[in-house]
Amino acid sequence: MTTTIKKQLHRIDLIFKHEDDCKEILRNALSRSNQELVNEMVNSGLKGRGGAGFPTGLKWKLTAESNEKEKYVICNADEGEPGTFKDREILSRVPHKVLSGMAVCAKIIGAEKGYIYLRGEYKFLVPELKKELRKFHDILDELGLDFRVEIFMGSGAYICGEESALIESMEGKRGEPRNKPPFPSVRGFKGKPTVVNNVETLAHSYTILKFGAKKFRDLGVKDSRGSKVFSVSGDTPIPGIYELELGMTVQDFVDDFGDGDCKAVQVGGASGFLVPRKRFGKTTIGYEGKLTGISLPTGGSMMIFNSSRSMYNVLNNYLEFFEEESCGQCTPCRVGCQQLLKGIKAVKRGEKPASYLDQLLKLTETMKLTAKCGLGQSVANSFSSIVENFREEMIY
Amino acid sequence: MDFHEKLVQDLVSKHGRDRENLLPILQGVIDQERYLSEEVILKISKEMSIPAADVYGTASFYSFLDIEPRGKFVIRVCKTITCAMKGKNQIIQSIESFLKIKVGETTIDKKFTILQTNCLGWCHKAPAMLINDDVYTELTPESVVDILREYKEKN
């Protein structure tokens, strides 16, 4: 049994509150050695804030170690997880912090070119971002860093948030995930070593440079260090963006954000896990115990459902999403999503017995083991956590 | 040189002939035409020396690169969970009855198309929709009609 960590909800505001001139922080960062900067990132304990949680310092270190001359930094702004909207807020309110994170990464790994892969749905951000880029390039010229950032527009494909699919898309192809290894840090955009980081990860990199690794590391618990920007939606009186310390339980979260009638919380969007009320106090939000299901990693999406919601409708909506957004490349995901959707509808209509749900749970196990990328593998998360906890709502 | 030929040539000379410029070129056509016709796909294929099936295969992968004719204003209503919880169906009904078409259809004057789309990233201000690139949030069946009325006036 994994012991859970009780932690009071602690609101932090490192990313949005401190409006400052990024020039001084960048000047200071650029005057330090690459080794020193990488150590700072590693020591901070920062893990990728897109959801997967790969250690950021290590990613930068691996890419820096490559002898290839041409390298790239890509900011993954293809946020598409249902329930997530934090990256849009970060990009519209503090874009210079994201760009500064990219610039420091570029210095460390030796890249001269960077891209923001912006989802098609956020095209309205482009004029402001371009203005910001012009100012930022002037600062880099002044500081003597040879690094240029361009915006690359996505065109409406959830799978392009997966880093290798994102790279395929940037190369003018269908956004289908690549086989891994090799990872992008070895063979990324145009076959060259590439760092792909989420918008929030880059913004945190900046706050780490500003406040120091220790301040970041002192926040959170065990393997979940620092703060995290959460996108809160659903049945809550205060939907929006909140930067919170990692390590809280779902109960802590519900106490602050619920409407008093909270039945379940979906942690991590449609590809995450549903936590029923009986497990609010036992479930921590963070990276520990990823495999036990007691502690849940998340890209920040928190969807709250109160007792008026049908969990069948929720699951049906998620499955329709996955069925449409599966890239179709591998059979477990393409056919699996279709069958799960057909399956729950058949049980609901009484065309299949309730025991058919167990067959579908087996199918999600197969998808988890055999799907090529995180999309197909993660369908099992919401499916099993909803079906197991709200079985009667699937049937009647 | 006809209009499409010029459009494709302009975009290709602006972005370049390399494969990695295919998406910006397809997006450029969408900005002008709202969809990728067979004619345009063949012209891009020829200009960039990429098989037409490959251009089509890439275009059809992305939900914003439409391969069938769309109206001047493409309305995309978010259908993902929070928008669904906050009344997306009533919004769609309101749009359908105002424009007198169904989801997936285009008005006879080619001005509006109604589509549904996956998460637009405005879950805290649901229900939300895009009209071309513009975002509208916290919609009500009444407010959506007011918005559409303004678009009806536009040329």
Side-chain angles (χ1 to χ4, degrees):
Chain A
M1 283 299 287
T2 307
T3 48
T4 50
I5 308 137
K6 179 73 184 162
K7 183 120 188 163
Q8 283 305 305
L9 203 60
H10 192 183
R11 294 193 189 185
I12 314 285
D13 222 341
L14 296 179
I15 291 184
F16 293 114
K17 209 170 202 170
H18 303 272
E19 264 320 311
D20 43 35
D21 177 11
C22 66
K23 204 197 287 178
E24 279 320 301
I25 289 149
L26 263 181
R27 192 195 301 276
N28 179 277
L30 297 182
S31 69
R32 297 165 70 186
S33 74
N34 288 344
Q35 190 59 49
E36 218 183 309
L37 290 167
V38 164
N39 288 344
E40 184 98 44
M41 292 306 294
V42 172
N43 292 338
S44 72
L46 173 64
K47 291 186 172 186
R49 295 309 201 225
F54 190 82
T56 307
L58 181 61
K59 191 182 260 189
W60 291 15
K61 190 167 174 259
L62 289 172
T63 318
E65 279 166 1
S66 161
N67 292 324
E68 286 262 14
K69 270 195 135 180
E70 200 180 321
K71 296 178 188 176
Y72 297 95
V73 181
I74 299 174
C75 166
N76 184 347
D78 193 56
E79 160 180 79
E81 185 64 44
T84 312
F85 39 92
K86 65 184 174 73
D87 291 345
R88 189 203 64 238
E89 287 276 318
I90 295 172
L91 273 180
S92 53
R93 286 163 62 185
V94 288
H96 57 287
K97 298 188 181 181
V98 179
L99 293 170
S100 301
M102 289 178 80
V104 174
C105 176
K107 169 188 153 46
I108 294 172
I109 67 165
E112 291 174 2
K113 198 82 195 273
Y115 294 91
I116 297 174
Y117 187 100
L118 186 67
R119 71 185 301 218
E121 289 84 345
Y122 292 171
K123 198 173 172 191
F124 68 95
L125 285 175
V126 171
E128 278 302 311
L129 274 179
K130 282 197 168 158
K131 248 193 257 171
E132 202 59 44
L133 273 175
R134 276 194 292 273
K135 275 196 270 173
F136 185 71
H137 287 153
D138 287 345
I139 293 174
L140 293 186
D141 287 344
E142 208 185 310
L143 298 175
L145 183 71
D146 186 11
F147 179 60
R148 283 290 174 273
V149 179
E150 272 180 39
I151 300 169
F152 190 98
M153 287 307 300
S155 264
Y158 168 72
I159 187 60
C160 290
E162 195 279 342
E163 59 181 3
S164 65
L166 179 151
I167 290 167
E168 286 285 295
S169 172
M170 283 183 62
E171 291 178 355
K173 294 173 262 178
R174 294 164 72 90
E176 292 175 341
R178 293 175 177 173
N179 285 323
K180 291 182 197 175
F183 289 92
S185 53
V186 178
R187 279 177 65 85
F189 183 46
K190 296 200 232 176
K192 304 294 176 190
T194 304
V195 164
V196 184
N197 276 147
N198 175 259
V199 172
E200 186 192 340
T201 311
L202 291 161
H204 279 302
S205 310
Y206 173 86
T207 60
I208 288 164
L209 293 168
K210 181 179 156 76
F211 297 107
K214 188 176 178 306
K215 177 157 177 135
F216 193 80
R217 201 182 172 78
D218 284 347
L219 296 170
V221 288
K222 280 172 141 188
D223 288 336
S224 305
R225 294 288 165 190
S227 56
K228 168 95 196 75
V229 182
F230 287 90
S231 314
V232 183
S233 65
D235 295 314
T236 165
I238 44 169
I241 300 286
Y242 300 89
E243 189 180 336
L244 307 172
E245 186 175 356
L246 280 174
M248 59 189 168
T249 62
V250 176
Q251 185 64 56
D252 298 333
F253 176 82
V254 168
D255 289 346
D256 270 33
F257 292 95
D259 64 358
D261 181 28
C262 183
K263 164 170 152 182
V265 178
Q266 180 79 14
V267 180
S271 67
F273 294 84
L274 182 109
V275 184
R277 189 188 287 146
K278 64 179 181 215
R279 293 185 63 190
F280 285 172
K282 294 183 203 145
T283 311
T284 312
I285 300 159
Y287 300 97
E288 289 90 357
K290 202 168 170 177
L291 300 175
T292 66
I294 301 279
S295 180
L296 302 177
T298 173
S301 163
M302 301 293 282
M303 290 186 279
I304 302 177
F305 302 108
N306 69 19
S307 62
S308 71
R309 306 297 172 188
S310 150
M311 297 320 292
Y312 171 83
N313 287 346
V314 171
L315 181 58
N316 190 62
N317 189 291
Y318 289 168
L319 289 173
E320 281 178 357
F321 172 81
F322 286 126
E323 190 207 24
E324 277 180 27
E325 296 295 344
S326 167
C327 82
Q329 189 188 181
C330 76
T331 314
C333 179
R334 182 185 64 248
V335 180
C337 290
Q338 293 169 357
Q339 292 305 319
L340 291 176
L341 185 57
K342 270 204 233 168
I344 62 159
K345 284 180 194 288
V347 171
K348 192 75 173 172
R349 283 196 297 255
E351 290 161 8
K352 293 272 183 196
S355 60
Y356 191 63
L357 290 171
D358 299 322
Q359 300 284 324
L360 297 176
L361 283 168
K362 277 189 198 155
L363 172 57
T364 61
E365 284 305 312
T366 308
M367 289 168 73
K368 208 197 282 186
L369 290 171
T370 56
K372 185 171 176 177
C373 80
L375 192 156
Q377 293 159 10
S378 64
V379 176
N381 300 345
S382 51
F383 190 90
S384 59
S385 55
I386 294 176
V387 169
E388 281 162 8
N389 290 301
F390 293 95
R391 197 181 171 94
E392 71 290 352
E393 289 191 35
M394 302 300 120
I395 305 164
Y396 306 109
Chain B
M1 198 189 301
D2 72 1
F3 173 75
H4 287 127
E5 207 163 328
K6 184 162 182 337
L7 174 65
V8 170
Q9 277 196 7
D10 286 351
L11 285 165
V12 169
S13 43
K14 182 181 167 197
H15 295 286
R17 287 189 154 67
D18 294 335
R19 174 76 192 236
E20 71 218 40
N21 300 312
L22 180 59
L23 247 60
I25 289 165
L26 295 172
Q27 288 161 349
V29 176
I30 292 283
D31 282 344
Q32 297 278 321
E33 296 272 276
R34 293 277 150 230
Y35 90 109
L36 298 154
S37 61
E38 194 180 310
E39 194 193 346
V40 161
I41 286 176
L42 289 172
K43 286 195 161 87
I44 292 173
S45 152
K46 201 173 143 204
E47 281 290 326
M48 298 185 77
S49 305
I50 303 171
D54 209 345
V55 177
Y56 179 85
T58 303
S60 59
F61 184 84
Y62 297 92
S63 64
F64 281 27
L65 300 180
D66 290 303
I67 43 179
E68 51 187 288
R70 300 295 189 207
K72 185 175 179 184
F73 300 115
V74 183
I75 305 163
R76 294 172 202 270
V77 181
C78 181
K79 63 175 176 182
T80 311
I81 189 70
T82 319
C83 288
M85 280 160 63
K86 307 276 174 180
K88 152 292 281 191
N89 283 346
Q90 289 90 310
I91 303 302
I92 287 182
Q93 273 171 16
S94 185
I95 300 173
E96 284 180 339
S97 69
F98 182 72
L99 295 177
K100 301 189 173 54
I101 51 168
K102 294 279 173 203
V103 169
E105 293 176 350
T106 300
T107 50
I108 294 171
D109 62 2
K110 307 263 189 294
K111 206 157 180 183
F112 294 96
T113 300
I114 317 175
L115 299 173
Q116 292 198 71
T117 190
N118 282 324
C119 198
L120 288 176
W122 292 92
C123 320
H124 58 325
K125 293 185 176 178
M129 70 171 178
L130 281 179
I131 298 185
N132 292 352
D133 300 326
D134 297 324
V135 182
Y136 297 90
T137 59
E138 295 175 295
L139 299 168
T140 63
E142 296 76 34
S143 72
V144 79
V145 169
D146 293 340
I147 294 163
L148 291 180
R149 235 180 234 125
E150 278 178 35
Y151 276 86
K152 265 203 160 169
E153 308 287 304
K154 290 186 186 176
N155 283 315

